[in-house]
């Protein structure tokens, strides 16, 4: 065990050097993290058996078995392409293109979420490797990077995912739910917890709009699911659902089903799923709290912009809203299976020609 700890310390120290070579980086990560990857893989296999988006109590019990994070790092499988092991996005895109999952090593890295910084963080981004983005809002920043690698743009990741429910199942569930509003809350991360008064948020919106809903769906992120939270939620007022744990490949499939079940989607802060709901032809509404609008300067700016286009008081037209979503989520950038395969083959060819450099 002592020898392995030394290997981990050496890898941490020389991480930036190892990242120069893609194949060497992957080999070292696989070697020093093999026990963690195996344990996490077995845990995720249990989660994959959850098919219902409403099985939140079952998910809560399984999350109590979550393995410890690897030396304080965030939850990913430790590979050179760790980014592509999250949320099931890359797996669904590969499937869409008819590419085997075991070929993920050669696929560009996917940018997750929206970048709130002025520049790319070299700690988070492997700037020596090609990336896939949804929209082109980062294009100029990427091109300013010295010796930048290729960037590809493919539109909303949700477009490439299969719903975990069939069309028939969606119709049957919607019939039971009636007119439905789906609420996405700001969520905690592995490094920061968030608390919010859910009842006041949703009650305030419904009173303001004078709309009637048969069901209020509350989508909860895995990090916020625990015994205390579930006991505090009024199950009569909210029907709780979740896309599951971040490393479960079914995450994006559950997320797509959750959005498909809604008639209207209410966001209380700027989140990745805004563009997904819009792409799935749902009515998107922004209702951001004042403290968020007055908070962190960069994040507040994104929220203010979101409110401009999608608040109930917005006077923007459909064209303006489309252009806003297109900038971040790339509605006009969607690719065919053949085009995704071309991206994969292009990146694979470059990696092999450069011998991983």
């Amino acid at each position: 065990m002592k020898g392995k700890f030394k290997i981990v310390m050496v890898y941490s120290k020389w991480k930036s050097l190892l990242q120069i070579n893609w194949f060497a980086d992957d080999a070292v990560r696989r070697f020093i993290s093999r026990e963690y990857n195996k344990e996490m893989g077995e845990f995720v296999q249990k989660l994959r058996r959850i098919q219902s988006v409403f099985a939140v109590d079952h998910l809560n019990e399984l999350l109590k078995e979550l393995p410890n994070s690897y030396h304080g790092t965030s939850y990913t499988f430790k590979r050179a392409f760790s980014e592509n092991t999250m949320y099931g996005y890359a797996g669904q895109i590969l499937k869409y293109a008819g590419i085997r999952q075991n070929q993920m090593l050669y696929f560009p890295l996917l940018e997750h979420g929206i970048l709130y910084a002025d520049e790319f963080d070299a700690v988070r981004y492997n700037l020596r490797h090609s990336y896939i983005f949804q929209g082109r809002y980062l294009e100029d920043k990427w091109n300013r990077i010295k010796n930048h690698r290729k960037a590809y743009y493919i539109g909303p990741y949700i477009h490439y995912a299969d719903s975990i429910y069939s069309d028939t199942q969606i119709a049957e569930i919607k019939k039971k739910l009636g007119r439905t509003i789906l609420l996405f809350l700001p969520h905690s991360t592995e490094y920061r917890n968030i608390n919010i008064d859910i009842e006041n948020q949703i009650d305030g919106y419904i009173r303001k709009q004078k709309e009637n809903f048969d069901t209020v769906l509350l989508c909860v992120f895995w990090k916020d699911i625990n015994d205390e939270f579930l006991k505090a939620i009024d199950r009569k007022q909210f029907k709780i659902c979740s896309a599951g744990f971040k490393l479960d490949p079914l995450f994006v499939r559950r997320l797509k089903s959750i959005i498909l079940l809604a008639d209207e989607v209410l966001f209380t802060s700027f989140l990745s799923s805004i563009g997904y709901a819009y792409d799935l032809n749902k009515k998107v509404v922004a209702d951001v709290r004042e403290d968020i609008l007055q908070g962190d300067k960069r994040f507040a700016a994104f929220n203010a912009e979101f409110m401009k286009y999608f608040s109930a008081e917005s006077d923007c037209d459909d064209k303006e809203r489309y252009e806003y979503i297109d900038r971040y989520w790339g509605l006009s950038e969607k690719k065919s299976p053949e085009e995704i395969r071309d991206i994969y083959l292009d990146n694979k060819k470059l990696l092999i020609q450069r011998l991983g450099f």
Side-chain angles (χ1 to χ4, degrees):
M1 189 67 182
K2 186 181 291 186
K4 182 179 177 182
F5 180 73
K6 287 182 178 179
I7 292 173
V8 171
M9 294 301 292
V10 169
Y11 173 65
S12 178
K13 185 177 181 180
W14 294 99
K15 179 181 176 183
S16 60
L17 180 62
L18 279 168
Q19 282 187 339
I20 293 173
N21 188 281
W22 187 250
F23 298 135
D25 186 22
D26 191 58
V28 172
R29 287 183 189 234
R30 289 179 68 185
F31 176 71
I32 66 174
S33 310
R34 59 191 183 279
E35 291 180 14
Y36 166 84
N37 284 341
K38 181 175 181 292
E39 184 180 9
M40 184 59 74
E42 292 170 349
F43 173 69
V44 167
Q45 284 301 316
K46 295 180 183 178
L47 296 173
R48 292 185 67 169
R49 299 183 191 123
I50 299 177
Q51 296 293 309
S52 172
V53 301
F54 302 112
V56 180
D57 292 295
H58 186 194
L59 175 61
N60 179 46
E61 291 306 310
L62 286 177
L63 285 172
K64 294 173 183 178
E65 303 174 23
L66 177 64
N68 292 327
S69 63
Y70 188 75
H71 296 277
T73 63
S74 62
Y75 284 114
T76 58
F77 285 103
K78 305 309 175 187
R79 300 291 301 271
F81 53 87
S82 290
E83 281 289 306
N84 288 357
T85 67
M86 296 192 296
Y87 307 115
Y89 295 134
Q92 285 289 290
I93 295 169
L94 289 174
K95 180 185 176 185
Y96 168 85
I99 301 169
R100 297 194 308 275
Q101 301 291 302
N102 62 6
Q103 296 299 297
M104 197 175 288
L105 177 67
Y106 299 104
F107 204 51
L109 295 174
L110 271 64
E111 154 65 6
H112 294 98
I114 302 298
L115 179 65
Y116 301 127
D118 292 324
E119 298 294 339
F120 286 97
D121 179 2
V123 174
R124 175 182 171 185
Y125 295 88
N126 183 345
L127 299 177
R128 300 182 181 93
H129 192 62
S130 301
Y131 266 82
I132 285 177
F133 300 96
Q134 297 183 99
R136 292 183 178 267
Y137 82 102
L138 292 175
E139 187 173 20
D140 289 341
K141 289 182 182 179
W142 184 263
N143 291 337
R144 286 200 301 267
I145 298 171
K146 186 177 180 181
N147 300 321
H148 66 275
R149 298 299 189 190
K150 277 199 173 185
Y152 305 92
Y153 303 89
I154 70 170
Y157 299 147
I158 203 84
H159 170 71
Y160 304 97
D162 297 319
S163 168
I164 202 167
Y165 294 141
S166 67
D167 291 344
T168 301
Q169 289 174 310
I170 290 287
E172 290 175 349
I173 297 171
K174 280 183 66 66
K175 187 176 180 180
K176 294 177 182 177
L177 295 177
R179 179 163 166 72
T180 302
I181 184 170
L182 169 63
L183 175 62
F184 279 102
L185 299 170
H187 61 74
S188 301
T189 69
E190 287 150 72
Y191 307 107
R192 178 167 167 255
N193 291 323
I194 287 180
N195 295 310
I196 189 168
D197 189 340
I198 302 168
E199 285 80 2
N200 285 344
Q201 185 83 39
I202 191 68
D203 286 347
Y205 173 74
I206 291 175
R207 282 197 307 272
K208 238 182 344 184
Q209 302 311 308
K210 297 182 172 60
E211 291 192 64
N212 293 316
F213 296 96
D214 299 302
T215 304
V216 178
L217 284 180
L218 177 62
C219 188
V220 186
F221 194 59
W222 70 271
K223 186 64 172 61
D224 295 311
I225 295 173
N226 54 54
D227 292 340
E228 182 180 1
F229 176 84
L230 294 178
K231 287 177 182 177
I233 290 296
D234 182 354
R235 300 288 182 106
K236 293 180 180 178
Q237 184 176 8
F238 302 103
K239 190 169 181 63
I240 309 175
C241 55
S242 177
F245 182 57
K246 65 184 283 191
L247 297 187
D248 187 340
L250 298 182
F251 184 101
V252 66
R253 296 186 59 195
R254 295 195 197 93
L255 179 61
K256 187 165 189 172
S257 292
I258 290 169
I259 296 172
L260 288 173
L261 291 172
D263 294 295
E264 190 169 312
V265 188
L266 176 64
F267 292 91
T268 60
S269 73
F270 186 88
L271 295 174
S272 297
S273 44
I274 292 167
Y276 299 162
Y278 185 94
D279 186 54
L280 294 173
N281 298 313
K282 301 301 176 180
K283 180 182 178 182
V284 173
V285 181
D287 191 28
V288 182
R289 296 179 310 163
E290 190 62 31
D291 60 322
I292 293 178
L293 291 171
Q294 300 300 324
D296 176 82
K297 186 176 180 181
R298 185 74 175 165
F299 184 56
F302 277 96
N303 278 287
E305 185 182 35
F306 178 40
M307 286 286 283
K308 173 187 173 183
Y309 288 98
F310 285 99
S311 71
E313 295 77 25
S314 172
D315 58 2
C316 293
D317 58 30
D318 290 342
K319 182 175 182 291
E320 290 172 313
R321 291 190 182 97
Y322 176 92
E323 290 174 348
Y324 166 76
I325 296 293
D326 185 48
R327 184 163 74 251
Y328 294 106
W329 286 273
L331 299 171
S332 60
E333 303 287 347
K334 295 175 184 176
K335 300 293 187 284
S336 67
E338 293 75 20
E339 289 173 316
I340 295 292
R341 282 199 296 273
D342 286 343
I343 290 173
Y344 160 77
L345 291 171
D346 184 44
N347 194 60
K348 181 177 181 179
K349 180 181 178 181
L350 289 173
L351 276 173
I352 292 174
Q353 283 181 340
R354 296 194 306 257
L355 301 177
F357 290 97

